[in-house]
Amino acid sequence: MSELRRAADALRHAGKIVVFTGAGISAESGIPTFRDELTGLWSMYDPQRLETANAFRENPALVWSFYLWRRRQAKEAKPNLAHLLVQSLESSRRQVSVITQNIDDLHERAGSTDIIHLHGSLNVPKCFACHRPAELAPEQFAVPAHGLEKEPPRCERCNGRLRPGVVWFKEDLPVGAWKGALTNARECDVLLSIGTSGVVTPAADIPVIAHSAGATVIHVNLEDVSLEGENEVMLVGKATEVLASLFEAAGI
Ligand code: NAD
């Protein structure tokens, strides 16, 4: 039996499905993954070096501006066919939940309703000092026209600097999100893992946890990222194309 047929059979018979996504699902919407080089003003920076609390301590304006730029990039992007197909699973009388590592809001904008963000969001900044979430007026999210550095706004309560509400390297995941993700991963029949390299932990453990609990894990990626276990299927290709073929084969 072909890998596509095995995956389609598993999907067709699943009552509970978890869709686990990484940067690769948004790549075809024009948002670069960690494996892509940055463009324009930011081309001289390595994103992984800007995504730490230390980088923010050293140069808050640089890191804040980097996230303003990423937020604009995400805002200008549109959900692609892969996000839309994930949403369409919800109308197939199955219980569907999305666990995403992405900080964009393309699943929401595609209409998915049950979404856990493991790594936070570009839209909800918080105070670097007291951690209180902050609301900003749209103009405060404006990307600086010249140069790369714009000082972050201040917290209304303690006057600390605001930082992006995302999870940086070496930071803990939000407790509620992680607990919810573990529960969903342990209870699902199929985990569909789309566009993730599986190197950023602990998020990368989610497919392993689902698999150990008895789920079939279907990977969709440009590269083979499977662990070669039983009940695991690797579908190599672009998320939009693979999901279209998979859902057609499953009759969804
Ligand atoms: P990653 O950048 O480490 O890996 C991306 C994976 O997607 C790779 O394995 C690549 O082969 C695959 N891929 C690329 N294009 C694809 C396509 N069209 N179809 C299918 N697969 C494709 O991303 P990650 O595993 O999500 O982990 C890194 C971290 O990156 C996450 O914590 C996430 O928060 C952050 N990130 C998020 C965004 C976003 O919100 N859109 C963008 C960049 C990075």
Side-chain angles (χ1 to χ4, degrees), residues 4 14 19 21 34 42 48-49 58 79 88 100 106-107 113 117 124 129 131 145 148 197 216 218 233 249 251:
L4 186 71
V19 183
T21 62
F34 271 171
W42 294 98
Q48 308 198 40
R49 289 182 165 239
E58 276 168 25
S88 74
T100 189
L106 294 184
H107 283 301
T113 52
H117 278 272
V124 190
H131 310 298
L148 301 170
S197 56
T216 299
I218 303 168
V233 186

Side-chain angles (χ1 to χ4, degrees), residues 127-177:
C127 177
F128 191 63
C130 74
H131 310 298
R132 189 183 187 219
E135 272 189 31
L136 292 185
E139 59 273 15
Q140 290 178 287
F141 283 115
V143 178
H146 300 291
L148 301 170
E149 300 189 21
K150 177 173 165 181
E151 277 297 325
R154 294 282 178 165
C155 173
E156 282 182 4
R157 186 163 73 178
C158 75
N159 203 37
R161 287 193 174 88
L162 296 188
R163 55 161 282 181
V166 302
V167 177
W168 280 330
F169 287 106
K170 299 194 181 156
E171 291 185 329
D172 293 335
L173 304 191
V175 176

Side-chain angles (χ1 to χ4, degrees), residues 20-28 31-36 48 51 70 73-74 80 100-106 119 122 167 169 194-200 203 220-223 225 237-240 242:
F20 176 62
T21 62
I25 195 170
S26 297
E28 291 173 75
I31 303 178
T33 73
F34 271 171
R35 318 289 132 191
D36 302 316
Q48 308 198 40
E51 303 198 0
R70 288 187 69 181
Q73 193 176 49
N80 63 48
T100 189
Q101 300 165 82
N102 293 344
I103 54 179
D104 64 46
D105 58 356
L106 294 184
H119 292 163
L122 286 167
V167 177
F169 287 106
I194 308 169
T196 175
S197 56
V199 295
V200 178
V220 177
N221 201 300
L222 294 178
E223 299 166 357
V225 292
K238 288 184 178 177
T240 52
V242 172

Side-chain angles (χ1 to χ4, degrees), residues 16-20 97-99 116 118 177-192 203 205-217:
K16 287 188 182 176
I17 300 173
V18 165
V19 183
F20 176 62
S97 60
V98 175
I99 303 172
I116 293 176
L118 288 180
W178 180 241
K179 276 194 182 163
L182 286 179
T183 304
N184 292 356
R186 287 187 185 122
E187 291 179 353
C188 69
D189 303 308
V190 165
L191 183 132
L192 186 54
D205 295 337
I206 290 292
V208 181
I209 289 163
H211 190 256
S212 311
T216 299
V217 174

